[in-house]
Amino acid sequence: MQSNRIFIKETPHHIGKKIVVKGWVRNRRNHGKIIFIDLIDKDDIPLQVVFTPGIKEYYELASKLRGEDVIKIEGLIKERPSGMQNDKIPTGKIELESETIELLNKSRESLPIPIDNDGYDINEELRLKNRYLDLRRQRLHKNIKLRHAILHFIRNYLSDREFLEIETPILTKSTPEGARDYVVPSRLQQGKFYALPQSPQQYKQLLMVAGFERYFQIARCFRDEDTRGDRQPEFTQLDLELSFVEREDVMKLVEDLLIDIVKKITPEKTIQEIPFPRLTHKEVISKYKTENPDLRKDKTNPNLLAFCWITDFPFFEKNKEGEWTFTHNPFSTPIPQHREWLLKKDKINEIITSQYDVVLNGFEIGGGSIRSHTKESLEAVFEILGHNKESIKEKFGHMLDSFTVGAPPHGGIAWGLDRLVAILTNEPNIREVIAFPKTGDARDPMMGSPSEIDKKQLKELGIKTDK
Ligand code: ASP
């Protein structure tokens, strides 16, 4: 596959040997007749390459190299003269004496954005327009690699504990997660629309009905919200669900997983308090005036992580119109002592939901609950929310029906993975840990999306637009 090419990180094991490396030129320095370049590949470790005026053709090529040219070099790995060694990098004791060089692709003279710095000061539109280049900067390489390490760890951790990773549909039906849906027109059923999932909530519950008992998914979720701070129209959740569990079981699993991620992937970080402190919604509001308190004792320390759990939220609250709405998730069940109240639609304002949120350094990074698993319970929720029997049947008939064929008690949680990764990489913004994020107003300046579509496409879909 790679023929004889080796990665630069392997070069220190090849002293005295002839090797082939491929990668990008990071900078060129001419010292009299000798030319030095730093070559990097996917691991961002610079290899010092030395060119001497031996073969004219190669030497001339080397003298014209500039940053981001893509080259292949064959040569001899040698130990650097003592005094020229650099202990700070893994390749600091060696250099490559070039014998042949091949230019695989020339980079343009001036790059649209610099990539030899952290990039924070560059205009975001420009960064996102040139994202393939922006992503080449070392800081973003590091973030994306750390993100991968976390996903890899989670997949192994949960698979080892008998969870199955199961994909759920992207083309689906509107579900009430509290935000506006992204919709997709149907060509075959004109005038009808799919909705992109705000979360896999209903599908994961249906997987519990289907008897899988332990599900997870690294799931893409879509919410068409107005620009609200650091939100993305599409984001990634670690979504999981288990059967035959109570609140404590899910909280324990999640807490253990979070602790292990920190220990294994970001060992430089310290968790302020284990077990994570727990606060009720009442306590947190009266003490901190927010549902997402930042409990760090020292906020100047970038390596301090203060996790906490918030529980005992009210299930329902009144909206501006004086109607009942849910505070978190309509599919939740109340805490056991209040389940009777829900069924009787009694003391609605006092019903406490089984919801648990996990907060890290002032950000909600996850939330979940134990769910309704009987028809009566879910029906009661939607009745309180003002739906009549027909509309409940129309919108959630599949859930209600599924609960009549042996639905086990179940519960779960979802985390915002982008936020967790941003905190663990000390990034102020989730856009720094997503390979191809959108702007604050939901555009992708590189692809130019959203965009208009052909008249022909519109016609096929049976859609007329005002514009
Ligand atoms: N589906 C919920 C959400 O996206 C999370 C959960 O309760 O599992 O907020």
Side-chain angles (χ1 to χ4, degrees), residues 124-126 128-129 227 229 231-233 431 436-446 449-450:
E124 186 174 65
E125 189 85 14
L126 256 184
L128 293 186
K129 185 152 178 28
T227 320
R231 297 272 181 121
Q232 283 282 307
R431 300 200 275 273
F436 296 103
K438 305 258 184 315
T439 56
D441 56 351
R443 286 174 304 109
D444 174 348
M446 179 184 70
S449 76

Side-chain angles (χ1 to χ4, degrees), residues 177 199 201 204 223 237 239 329 367-369 371 412-414:
E177 216 82 58
S199 86
Q201 180 69 39
K204 68 173 171 176
R223 297 183 189 179
Q237 284 187 344
D239 192 43
N329 189 338
S369 61
R371 325 297 184 182
I413 193 166

